[in-house]
Amino acid sequence: QVQLVESGGGSVQAGGSLRLSCAATEYKDIGYCMGWFRGEEREGVAYTHTLGGDSYYADSVKGRFTISRDNAKNTISLQMDNLKPEDSGTYYCAARAYHCTGFRAGSWDYWGQGTQVTVSS
């Protein structure tokens, strides 16, 4: 059972930056799609795969957010720059075994507890 723990949320003014991290435990050597979602409706933000390949972003964050992975530490990060008030919300780290299949939340297997991001205008 993969466990995910997010960190790095906080409050910032519009135009500022935050970096979220997600530490994963109980990984198996099978490859995982790792991603970030926002809000109770689990709106997709970004995802990437632990074995490499392209990263994917929601249109609303392209050019401002960057997802990265550190396989040696079993972590992924989300660098969020030029933040806007509409970026506010609870950010959830998620993992899906084997393959990435897009942002449909129901297809992801594991979820963290979430970390709060608040952007003030």
Side-chain angles (χ1 to χ4, degrees):
Q1 181 81 1
V2 174
Q3 296 185 0
L4 305 171
V5 179
E6 303 98 335
S7 61
S11 298
V12 65
Q13 289 191 325
S17 298
L18 284 173
R19 186 177 180 88
L20 307 182
S21 293
C22 173
T25 60
E26 308 300 328
Y27 257 179
K28 295 181 181 179
D29 191 21
I30 59 174
Y32 292 85
C33 191
M34 302 292 297
W36 291 95
F37 292 75
R38 178 173 60 219
E40 293 305 313
E41 66 276 14
R42 298 297 196 268
E43 176 187 2
V45 175
Y47 65 83
T48 188
H49 200 279
T50 58
L51 298 182
D54 294 333
S55 299
Y56 295 87
Y57 298 90
D59 289 342
S60 61
V61 306
K62 284 180 182 177
R64 300 188 298 120
F65 290 12
T66 303
I67 190 170
S68 60
R69 58 184 174 269
D70 184 340
N71 290 343
K73 296 181 180 180
N74 286 349
T75 62
I76 63 166
S77 298
L78 185 68
Q79 177 66 39
M80 306 186 294
D81 297 319
N82 191 21
L83 282 160
K84 303 176 180 181
E86 53 264 41
D87 295 321
S88 297
T90 302
Y91 281 71
Y92 297 91
C93 178
R96 185 184 191 281
Y98 299 107
H99 305 297
C100 293
T101 60
F103 282 129
R104 187 171 63 86
S107 69
W108 292 71
D109 301 314
Y110 308 102
W111 294 87
Q113 294 300 305
T115 185
Q116 181 67 34
V117 170
T118 302
V119 184
S120 58
S121 57

